[in-house]
Every structure is written in C-alpha cells, then in structure tokens.
Amino acid sequence: MVFAAPNEALARAEELLAADPSPLHASVAHQVIGIWQRDFGDTRLALAHLRRARDLASRADSPEREADVLATLGVALVHSGRTREGLAAFERGVARGTGHTRARVLFRRAYVWWVLGRHGEALEDVRRAIPVLRQADDVIWTARALTLRATVHLALGSVERADADFTAAERLWDTTGQEHDKADAVESRGLAAFRSGDVPAALRLLDEAEERYAKLGTPTFMLTIRRCEVLMAAGLATEALAEADAATAALDGIGGQSTRRAELLLVAARAARLAGEPRTSLARAALAVRLFAGQRRTWYETHARLVLLEARVATGRGAGRLVADAAAVAERLAAFGAPAAPEASLLAGRIALGLGWTADAERHLAVAARSRHGGPPLARMTGWAAQALRARAAGSARGVLEACRRGLDVLDDHRMTLGASELRARATAQGAELAALAQEASLVSGGPRRLLVWSERWRATVLTAPPTRPPADPALLSGMTAFREIAARAEEARTDGGRPVPALEREQRRLEREIRSRTLHMRGGAPGDGDRFDVGRLLRRLGDDVRLVELAVLDGRVHVLLCGQGRVRRFEAGLLAEAEREAEHVQAGLRRLAHPGAEARLPLVEAAGARLQELLLGPAAAHLGSGPVVVVPPGRLHRVPWALLPALRERVLSVSPSASSWLRASDTAPPPGGRQVLVRGPGLASGGAEVTELAERYGAAGAPGRATPGASGTGAYRGPEGRTDGTPDRADGSPDRTDRALGPAIGYGVPGGGAGALDRPVPRPTVLEGDAARVPRVLRELDGAALAHIAAHGTFRADSPLFSSLRMTDGPLIVHDLERLDRSPYRIILSCCDTARFASVGADELLGLVTALLPLGTAGVVACSAPVNDAAVVPLMLTLHKGLDAGLSLAEALRDARAALPGDAVHQATGWAFSAFGAA
C-alpha cells in the first residue's frame, strides 16, 4: 500500500503500532513508516524507523522479514549518502533471505547499483531476480524489476531493449491497482521517448506522470530531474535551471535524500551552463562533485566533473591541465558506456585547439567525431562539430563546410519533429557553433556569395515552415478561453483601482503554464528538405533597382552583404555590441519623444541614428543606389528603428528576418476577393480614431463615386454588406447572421472618395469594435483576409514571447491564437505600441507577433517597435491607407506616410518607430 496509497498506508501503520502488535507485525509497520519517510519525508526519521524494523524482525526470529527490512534500509542509507553502510546492509540481506524474498532484495540492490551508476552490477542483480519473481507469480515486483532493467538499458544507450522491457512492464501494471507504480511507468516511458529523440512525447508523458503523482500526493524529485533533462534538450535551459533550483530548495526543506540533492545539483549545473550562466554552473557542479564523491557514486561524479570542466572553460579558464582532465573524464565515461563520452572528448579537443596543441586536439576530436554516424540527433551533432573542428585545424575549408552541412541537416530533421514554434526556435541553439564555423570558413575561402548562403542557412529557420496547428483539444481551447477571461479581469482590476490582484495573477500564470505545456506536446511533421536558398534566384528577383542588405556577424563584427545588380558585395562595419548599446539609447529616446515636451531630444536621437548607420552599414551606405532597400538584420538587432538611419530615412524600406523569408513573401499571392477587416480594441488613448475614419472612408453602400459614412459606436459590427448589427454571437462563438454566405458587397470609388476616385470595385471592410471585437470573432474574420488593420494595445512578453498579445474586448489575443489560423491576413497593419518587438532565441530566431504571422500566409506587416503617441499614429495610419488605396506596397505607403507627417518631434518619432516587414 505504501506506493499505491502512501498516506493511507502511513495511517494504517501508525494505527497498528498503537495497538501493541507482535514484533513481527510491528516490524512491518515501522518498515512502512520508514519507506514513507524515505521517499516523502525526512531521511533521518526514515533511518530510525528502519533500524527499529530490523531489530524487531530479529526479535521475531524471522530471517525473511529481516532480509526484507535490510534491503529497504540499504536503499535509505545509500540515498542518505552512506554508501558503504548501505551496501553492507544489502550483503547481510542477500545472505539472510531465500527464494522469493532474496529476489526482492536483489531487485532493490540492483536499484541501488543504478543509483550509484554501476550499471553492470545492476543488470546482473536484476537478471538474477526476474526469473524468481516470475516463477512466484509476483506481478508487482516483476513489473518493477522490468522497469528498472529498462531504465538501466536507457542509461547505457540501449533504447530498443529499454522499450521492450517498458512495454512488458506496462502490460503487467495494467493488471494491478498500483497507482504510484503506474505513474512511474508513465514517467519511464517519457524517459524512453526522450532518449529516442521524441521531445514532444517526452514532455507529454512526464506531464501526465506529474498529474498522476499529484493525485497521490507524491513528491516528484526524480521526475523533476528527468523533466529538466528534456527541457534542456528542447532549448529551455533557463526553465530547467529554475525548476531544478526550486526542487533542491523543497528537498532541503524536508530533509530529503542526499542522493537526490546531488542529482538536482548536477542537472542545475548543466542547465546553468546552457543558459549562459557559467559561474552558477561552476558553483552547482563543484558541490555536486563533492556530494557524489562522498556517496561513492563514480558514474555520477564523472558526469559532474564534465560539467565542472565545461563551466571552467566558459568562465575563461583554458589552462593545459584542463585538456588532461577532460581526456581523463572522457576515458572514464567511455569505460562506463555513457553516451556523454563524446562530449568530453570534444571538450578536450576544443581546449587543446585553443592552446595550439594540434596533435592532442586531433587525437581527442577524432574520438568525438565517431559519434556522428549513430545515436540520437544531439550525439550526432557532437560528432559533426568535432569533425568540423578537425577540418578547420587541417586547413580544409571544404571539410569544414561539409561537416557543418551534415550536422545542420541532422538538426533540421530533429527540429522538424517539434511541433511548437517555440521549441523549433530554441532548438536551433544546438547548431550555433556549426553555423559560425561555416560562416568563418566561407569568409576565408568562399567570397561574399558563399558567406550569404551560410548566413541564410541558419537564419530564421523557424519561418521556413508553418508551425504545427494546435490540436482541436477541448482542454486546450477551454484553457485559452479561461486565460482570456482571467487576464481581462486582472487588467480591469489594475485599471480601476491600480491595485495588484494576486489571486487573479496566480490563476493567470497557472493557465499560461497549462496552455504552454499542451502546445509543447505537439509533434511536427515528417522531416523534409525544404527550399534551399538560391543566390541567383534572389539576385534575379531584386533586379537592378532593389538592394537587399543582409547583416552577418562574425567574431562580434558586423559584415554587410549588399545584394543587387546581379552581384553580392561584402563590407565590414562596426562591432555588434556597440550597435546594440546604441540601439538601446535610440529606443530610450523614442520613448521620451512619444510624449510632448521632449523636443530637445530630437537632435540627440537623430545623431544616434547616424552613429547606428556607421556601425551597421559602414561603407555600404554609399552603395545603396536610389531604389528600395530590404534590410535583413540578425536577431539581436531586431529593435533597431531602421528608418532613423540617414541613408534609409527617405527610402522605400522593408525589413525581413531572412532573405529566404523575403523571397517567400514576394512569391505569396493575395487571396481572392480582397476582403478587409478593421479591428478596434478597448482602452486606446485615441479611441482608435483611425478605425472610425477608415470605416467611413471605405464607406457604406452608395452611388458610384460616393462614399457615405457608416454608423459607428460601441458594439457596432459592420458586416460585409456595410450595415451595423449588434446581433450577438451564437453559443459556438460564430455570428448569428448569414452575411458571410453572401460574400462581400461591392461599392465603387476609391475609399475616402473625392478627387482621384476610380471606377473599380472596392470591397467594403468588416469592422469589429466594442462587443464585436472578441477574440473568436476577430480570428474568424482575420482568417484569409486580404488586409487587416488592428488598433489595439500590444503587450510584449519577454518572459514568454508567445503570450505577447493584442488586447481585445474579451481579453488578450495571443500568438498561440494566431497559430490556429488556416491563413493569416495577406497584409496586416498593427498600429499600436510594441507590436514589432521580439524575443531573440536559439541561434538567430525571433519569437513575437510578427514572426508568428509570416509562416502562415502573411506577406507584409506594418508594426511598431517602440511606445508611440496614440494621437500621432492616427494621421500616419490614414495616410498609409491612402497609399495602399492607390496601389502602393506597405513599404511604399509607409515611406510616403512618414514624409507627410508634421515636422514636430512627436510625429517624427512616431514615423521612425514603425517598420514594414516582408514584401507585400
């Protein structure tokens, strides 16, 4: 019962002891309490109860009972760090027990061998135990033994053997009521999925196991360790570090197992290193090494030493002693059969290369490179990285590029198994070193064209394919609805009283975790080759007039790849770090200029723009020609207001995450029908005035050449036939009307009327505001629209970019919502603050509102990268639409709209803050 219903078992044991039982029965009760304390409580109390249970078994003159207790005591001693005493207890237990009891003792000793990392001994003991347990028809213990053997196989990299044992164990668990062990089986299947490279399945199974444990009230420290491993593989190292540290604190709070504490410290050390916190990694790894050494857990100690060495290198310590240390760690890991052995050899080779010890480097890298032909994706990546470094050391640029290509292909295949765009983006960090090596080799030997190809090879790769559509999961859909309601209530409370609302905020965070967790479970499609970037095709599309400026960063310096007129030229510009600092100064200046009274800052901001131009374009600024310019910046420069740079200020200017993305956008055809949607969210300082004016411009039905103003006001829904309708939605969220079936009505004349009216049909837009501007309706109207204009407060979430949002009447419309669209609008204008802010993640990826739209059919976006003055936005947007009505692209219309603004500081800053993305 202590595993199936732990709290009930504890209560029953305490009741039994209160009834003055016999020594034999008292021994059982103390053993149950000891197990409960060992796994769920205080290890010191566990040892006290288990020693009492052992003494009572001896008094009862029951060798079998004594053997069983000695096995439980041995596990507790090892978990408390007293390895020698624990193993001695097992020796006595094996000697005292016979038959079935002895098989149970052997199983538990096999578990301890696994804890100690001594996998050969573990397999031997469990091999001896399983036939006896099966012969005794002991279903529960046989299933436990099979699960343990599978776990040991996983530690040794034998995924197929592990899967067979897990499957056999699960069949046995299905015949029992052991809910704890069933949860453990689900957890083990999650571990197997992870080891086979299926990260979404691993996350789903571990989350399911956590739910099962929560119902039993069972602590989940081992589950946390495994989940952290999966999170790190998914590129979520910062989250893994936070979870590991929180679990360590909780374990310390209950006086929990020393062995688990050491394992949590090890996983925290690895997470800190991957999260770019080498000093934190150093501290956690050093403590883990000491604990493992004291516990005589050589397998774990060696893994901790590997992380310790990696942290030392990351903090700038590259002494020759580290080469020998890394080589020794690699040898010990290889002797254990540990999959991490190639990582240690790669580390030794890297350090040796840094010291100029080419012969030593070649020896270690050759060992690491063997892993490139087999194993899970990240192990093969390690092998290809080693092979690329070998080729670089040998002076073979071709060898470097071939190894980088093969390694990135492996990562591409792995990345496409991930359904969530966030996981795809973060997984690219694993390829950052290969991409950098390829760019370096291209710069040395291949000329600007090859450098452009490799710059594109690993830039904005997440945008190359749409994310997997979120499943029609009722729990996910209800969670998103609940999230919107809670978020809206929290915002309303903050707006009304300015007071924090802890309960609402806690519930909002809980719902966010649930939504994100479910989206991370999505699997991607089958790996595909995708479209390979073709420089010739890009140059043909650019022609003689358009210039594309791609900024590549090598060794911290910006290299400008200027494409156009049938050639690619390279220029050196400034340091990336200096450009980032200047961009932050510019952002601060734009924030100040959004408010009247800051006019004196305008010359300072303009001067900063000139400095940015020198740092980012350098001599290339003089070779841009007179035509349109497309800028392709690295992710870390996504907040640069490019229109502020003097050479770009009066140009037709667009921004794209990659040259490939720009090509796809230029190939994207608009949807038929030209349907337009105008959305006005609540709480805008200007009241979303441009939406009202645009609605009147685009007009209700009238005679040719005329446009009559449509009705406006709270709750108005102007449907395709131009009428105002406050009819509520049906229960499923769809409008209770038949307008959509009729198709858009057509009027005549240029929206806005007056001089220049054309005798061509112009579809009148759907206008959503007030109660009509609810997320389900807005999403339905946006799907497949030709043009969407959304005036709504934008919120960027640096902590969780896919919860960046636009504020609708019923709460936030988030990126996860947009990913449910079959096709996002062909053109979309986001007229409020912070809609063009992104999180830079992975190798060179961006997560945010704009990048969520681009893979889903959007060819052009206008959005804002800074806070702006709402009133100043109105004339900019009206002039922008006037240009679109005249047949201009978004970039052309935005250029003209900036030029038409008043010359005061507020309006100028507003114009600079907006950018056109894409090619529409």
Side-chain angles (χ1 to χ4, degrees):
M1 282 183 66
V2 75
F3 296 111
N7 293 329
E8 185 180 349
L10 177 66
R12 291 273 292 275
E14 289 171 342
E15 288 174 13
L16 180 60
L17 289 176
D20 193 22
S22 67
L24 184 68
H25 291 170
S27 173
V28 173
H30 279 289
Q31 185 181 9
V32 166
I33 297 172
I35 292 172
W36 192 95
Q37 290 290 353
R38 181 195 69 194
D39 292 348
F40 313 138
D42 190 322
T43 306
R44 290 167 297 180
L45 288 175
L47 290 172
H49 280 284
L50 292 173
R51 287 184 175 117
R52 180 68 176 145
R54 177 198 59 195
D55 295 343
L56 287 165
S58 179
R59 280 176 52 193
D61 196 24
S62 173
E64 302 297 313
R65 172 104 286 276
E66 188 177 354
D68 196 76
V69 175
L70 282 166
T72 304
L73 177 61
V75 172
L77 285 165
V78 170
H79 274 312
S80 67
R82 304 175 191 183
T83 302
R84 183 180 296 172
E85 290 181 59
L87 293 176
F90 273 112
E91 285 297 323
R92 294 196 300 275
V94 171
R96 297 286 282 164
T98 60
H100 184 204
T101 300
R102 188 166 181 267
R104 288 185 173 190
V105 174
L106 287 171
F107 157 73
R108 282 177 282 192
R109 189 169 70 173
Y111 165 78
V112 161
W113 289 133
W114 171 73
V115 168
L116 295 172
R118 294 168 63 171
H119 300 116
E121 291 97 325
L123 286 176
E124 175 60 22
D125 272 354
V126 80
R127 182 190 64 79
R128 293 162 63 191
I130 286 175
V132 180
L133 295 171
R134 278 180 167 151
Q135 189 175 16
D137 200 24
D138 189 339
V139 173
I140 291 173
W141 285 77
T142 302
R144 287 174 180 164
L146 288 168
T147 301
L148 174 61
R149 188 169 69 181
T151 305
V152 176
H153 281 317
L154 280 182
L156 294 172
S158 302
V159 178
E160 292 183 1
R161 290 181 179 180
D163 189 57
D165 276 345
F166 280 137
T167 301
E170 198 162 1
R171 283 198 296 267
L172 293 176
W173 288 129
D174 285 341
T175 67
T176 74
Q178 295 291 114
E179 296 305 318
H180 178 278
D181 288 300
K182 288 180 181 179
D184 184 69
V186 174
E187 177 185 341
S188 297
R189 281 171 46 219
L191 180 61
F194 169 55
R195 294 282 188 256
S196 66
D198 192 343
V199 170
L203 289 170
R204 176 178 57 78
L205 290 163
L206 293 178
D207 285 349
E208 180 186 337
E210 187 172 31
E211 291 175 9
R212 289 172 177 252
Y213 287 133
K215 291 176 182 176
L216 298 170
T218 304
T220 56
F221 298 113
M222 192 68 232
L223 176 70
T224 298
I225 292 166
R226 289 171 170 170
R227 179 174 162 78
C228 287
E229 290 178 354
V230 180
L231 290 174
M232 284 186 280
L236 302 171
T238 301
E239 289 181 36
L241 175 58
E243 288 196 21
D245 282 350
T248 303
L251 187 70
D252 290 345
I254 63 170
Q257 299 168 354
S258 174
T259 50
R260 289 287 178 262
R261 184 168 190 267
E263 291 164 24
L264 284 166
L265 285 167
L266 172 56
V267 80
R270 290 185 57 225
R273 180 181 59 79
L274 294 173
E277 298 184 30
R279 296 194 181 281
T280 301
S281 178
L282 198 64
R284 302 284 193 280
L287 183 52
V289 166
R290 289 199 297 273
L291 287 174
F292 286 132
Q295 295 162 3
R296 297 170 179 260
R297 301 172 72 188
T298 310
W299 191 87
Y300 283 97
E301 180 192 347
T302 309
H303 281 79
R305 287 192 183 279
L306 171 59
V307 181
L308 183 63
L309 290 169
E310 290 171 332
R312 284 176 176 164
V313 172
T315 54
R317 306 179 192 181
R321 173 66 184 273
L322 294 182
V323 178
D325 290 346
V329 166
E331 287 179 13
R332 294 177 79 177
L333 289 172
F336 292 139
E343 294 177 35
S345 294
L346 176 59
L347 178 65
R350 276 204 191 102
I351 302 169
L353 276 179
L355 295 169
W357 299 357
T358 53
D360 289 327
E362 167 60 23
R363 185 171 69 256
H364 297 306
L365 292 173
V367 173
R370 294 172 192 160
S371 67
R372 68 190 187 277
H373 295 306
L378 298 184
R380 283 179 281 152
M381 286 283 297
T382 296
W384 285 116
Q387 186 68 9
L389 289 172
R390 292 178 72 197
R392 187 179 69 167
S396 170
R398 174 180 288 184
V400 171
L401 295 176
E402 175 63 13
C404 292
R405 182 185 67 78
R406 297 285 296 275
L408 292 177
D409 284 348
V410 169
L411 191 51
D412 273 342
D413 288 347
H414 166 65
R415 194 170 46 79
M416 293 308 293
T417 67
L418 308 173
S421 55
E422 179 180 2
L423 289 189
R424 289 185 184 179
R426 295 187 185 278
T428 62
Q430 305 285 350
E433 181 186 19
L434 287 173
L437 286 170
Q439 285 182 309
E440 177 189 289
S442 299
L443 181 63
V444 170
S445 66
R449 282 197 179 214
R450 181 174 286 176
L451 180 56
L452 176 63
V453 168
W454 279 101
S455 178
E456 281 292 300
R457 178 65 179 82
W458 209 241
R459 182 190 292 267
T461 57
V462 171
L463 304 185
T464 59
T468 301
R469 291 290 188 279
D473 177 354
L476 176 60
L477 296 175
S478 64
M480 292 176 77
T481 301
F483 162 75
R484 265 192 294 278
E485 181 181 346
I486 293 295
R489 286 171 56 194
E491 178 65 25
E492 184 179 357
R494 284 190 292 267
T495 303
D496 291 347
R499 297 187 305 275
V501 277
L504 290 176
E505 290 175 346
R506 280 196 301 272
E507 178 63 7
Q508 180 176 334
R509 287 193 295 271
R510 185 192 70 79
L511 289 166
E512 285 180 7
R513 287 194 299 271
E514 183 178 307
I515 292 166
R516 185 163 176 266
S517 174
R518 287 186 175 275
T519 57
L520 295 183
H521 297 168
M522 295 185 300
R523 279 190 58 81
D529 292 336
D531 293 330
R532 291 299 185 192
F533 175 66
D534 182 346
V535 177
R537 177 170 166 247
L538 172 67
L539 293 173
R540 288 191 296 272
R541 183 61 56 85
L542 292 172
D544 291 333
D545 295 329
V546 183
R547 301 287 187 276
L548 184 140
V549 177
E550 179 146 333
L551 304 183
V553 180
L554 284 82
D555 292 328
R557 182 168 291 279
V558 177
H559 292 255
V560 182
L561 298 173
L562 180 59
C563 310
Q565 292 185 310
R567 58 179 175 159
V568 180
R569 290 177 285 173
R570 181 179 68 85
F571 302 86
E572 280 195 23
L575 296 175
L576 176 65
E578 292 182 15
E580 287 183 284
R581 285 194 294 271
E582 202 65 60
E584 286 304 314
H585 294 154
V586 166
Q587 284 292 328
L590 291 179
R591 281 195 295 272
R592 293 292 299 275
L593 290 172
H595 306 284
E599 292 81 3
R601 289 191 169 269
L602 184 61
L604 299 177
V605 171
E606 290 183 301
R611 289 192 296 273
L612 265 179
Q613 176 171 302
E614 186 60 29
L615 289 166
L616 296 177
L617 299 181
H623 300 272
L624 295 176
S626 58
V629 173
V630 181
V631 177
V632 179
R636 288 167 61 182
L637 294 174
H638 67 276
R639 295 201 69 193
V640 171
W642 296 98
L644 176 61
L645 276 57
L648 303 177
R649 199 169 293 175
E650 297 179 1
R651 289 180 182 274
V652 174
L653 171 67
S654 58
V655 181
S656 181
S658 68
S660 301
S661 178
W662 182 81
L663 279 171
R664 283 193 305 276
S666 63
D667 285 341
T668 301
R675 189 163 55 83
Q676 300 176 346
V677 182
L678 304 176
V679 181
R680 179 167 66 172
L684 296 168
S686 68
E690 82 267 18
V691 172
T692 301
E693 292 200 35
L694 288 170
E696 293 174 353
R697 237 195 226 182
Y698 286 104
R706 292 181 54 207
T708 34
S712 65
T714 302
Y717 171 85
R718 297 186 188 83
E721 297 209 40
R723 72 187 201 212
T724 302
D725 190 345
T727 308
D729 290 351
R730 294 197 299 255
D732 64 358
S734 61
D736 189 12
R737 55 195 299 116
T738 57
D739 293 351
R740 291 293 298 277
L742 300 175
I746 301 296
Y748 287 88
V750 174
L758 301 175
D759 291 330
R760 61 178 173 83
V762 178
R764 286 184 297 278
T766 296
V767 181
L768 302 176
E769 54 190 356
D771 286 342
R774 294 177 174 273
V775 171
R777 172 74 68 82
V778 170
L779 289 173
R780 196 162 54 253
E781 298 295 345
L782 291 181
D783 211 327
L787 173 67
H789 180 112
I790 302 178
H793 276 304
T795 300
F796 174 70
R797 287 280 300 276
D799 64 319
S800 191
L802 297 191
F803 282 93
S804 298
S805 64
L806 298 167
R807 185 178 167 196
M808 298 291 116
T809 302
D810 58 339
L813 186 159
I814 59 176
V815 173
H816 289 297
D817 289 312
L818 295 173
E819 290 184 340
R820 300 186 69 83
L821 295 173
D822 287 330
R823 177 173 179 174
S824 56
Y826 175 72
R827 287 174 171 170
I828 186 163
I829 299 166
L830 304 171
S831 66
C832 289
C833 309
D834 287 339
T835 49
R837 288 187 63 187
F838 311 101
S840 180
V841 302
D844 200 7
E845 304 294 326
L846 295 170
L847 294 177
L849 287 165
V850 171
T851 53
L853 294 162
L854 293 177
L856 298 173
T858 293
V861 182
V862 167
C864 179
S865 63
V868 288
N869 184 286
D870 280 359
V873 168
V874 175
L876 180 74
M877 291 296 113
L878 293 175
T879 311
L880 172 68
H881 275 269
K882 184 177 180 181
L884 296 179
D885 297 341
L888 301 181
S889 69
L890 285 172
E892 291 167 332
L894 183 58
R895 187 270 314 269
D896 292 352
R898 285 195 199 101
L901 286 172
D904 62 275
V906 171
H907 284 88
Q908 290 300 304
T910 301
W912 292 330
F914 280 88
S915 296
F917 297 84

